[in-house]
Amino acid sequence: ECSGELRCVEQRCVSAGAPQYCDSALQVVSVATFQDVLRSLPSSYPFEGGATGNSIGDGGDDMYDTGNFLNTDLAAEISYTNGVLSSGAGLFGDGSTYFTAKFERPASLFVLAATRVSITEFRVSGNLGADGGGNVNGARLGVSVGGASYSVFIKRVFGAIEDDDDADPSVNHIIIVPGDGTGVVQAFSPITDNDDHVVSGLAGVADLY
């Protein structure tokens, strides 16, 4: 539902050019929100692609070698929606909804949000341009926002240098689920040209970001 002066257009509550999604669990995700996130990043790379299709080809400066495929235990290579809230049936579970979006200016950020999911695993897959160079690491964090707990699973690939001494842009995954993360685990490849990042043990988790 849309309140106040907002009106719903194609499942969005629209006001002054900054959409908020009508699904209550996703309404916190807005253009203004992610512009704030982008401004907080010190050196985010303005990558190419990520709005439509189901992967990012090169991304610019050999960031990817076709990666950022989205998968669950129900479906592989899930399509991007370019900001349109869509049914997740067969992808994230019956009754689920999801969207992806690419936010830009001053830099770029790819976003996925899915609610009312019934999956056991979420995976990012594909290939990266690091080609074995540089480093890969990860972390698991617990955060509290507005009295609610969230578990944050991070993977980073960074520091790869090409033959011409130019650095490949880093690739950073941040996967967030509500709760303290009991029973939820992550795994990722130690090889830097592999975009693989798996979060499993998601039975009972309702939302994924």
Side-chain angles (χ1 to χ4, degrees):
E1 296 181 357
C2 301
S3 60
E5 296 180 356
L6 299 177
R7 60 190 180 89
C8 194
V9 177
E10 296 181 347
Q11 302 188 64
R12 296 183 182 183
C13 300
V14 179
S15 175
Q20 289 184 317
Y21 294 85
C22 300
D23 189 300
S24 60
L26 302 182
Q27 66 182 1
V28 297
V29 182
S30 66
V31 171
T33 298
F34 283 100
Q35 284 175 341
D36 288 342
V37 172
L38 289 171
R39 280 191 288 269
S40 72
L41 300 176
S43 56
S44 178
Y45 179 77
F47 63 86
E48 302 167 359
T52 61
N54 63 6
S55 65
I56 297 175
D58 180 85
D61 290 329
D62 201 30
M63 184 178 186
Y64 287 92
D65 288 335
T66 309
N68 205 53
F69 290 103
L70 309 178
N71 316 273
T72 69
D73 54 290
L74 301 179
E77 300 183 4
I78 294 169
S79 294
Y80 302 165
T81 73
N82 199 21
V84 177
L85 189 64
S86 303
S87 170
L91 307 174
F92 293 94
D94 291 343
S96 66
T97 55
Y98 84 105
F99 77 92
T100 68
K102 181 183 179 183
F103 294 91
E104 299 184 86
R105 296 182 300 272
S108 298
L109 184 70
F110 176 88
V111 174
L112 160 73
T115 189
R116 295 186 294 275
V117 304
S118 51
I119 57 176
T120 61
E121 178 181 288
F122 175 75
R123 178 189 299 265
V124 181
S125 64
N127 296 309
L128 301 176
D131 298 329
N135 305 279
V136 57
N137 65 21
R140 174 175 177 160
L141 306 174
V143 299
S144 179
V145 180
S149 297
Y150 296 88
S151 298
V152 183
F153 301 89
I154 298 168
K155 177 198 174 186
R156 305 190 307 151
V157 174
F158 61 97
I161 305 297
E162 295 295 312
D163 293 337
D164 57 5
D165 292 331
D166 286 338
D168 287 351
S170 64
V171 176
N172 304 277
H173 299 165
I174 303 173
I175 300 173
I176 304 171
V177 298
D180 63 6
T182 299
V184 182
V185 296
Q186 75 169 342
F188 51 82
S189 172
I191 302 171
T192 61
D193 64 351
N194 194 327
D195 201 21
D196 212 42
H197 185 193
V198 185
V199 176
S200 58
L202 295 175
V205 170
D207 304 313
L208 175 82
Y209 307 99

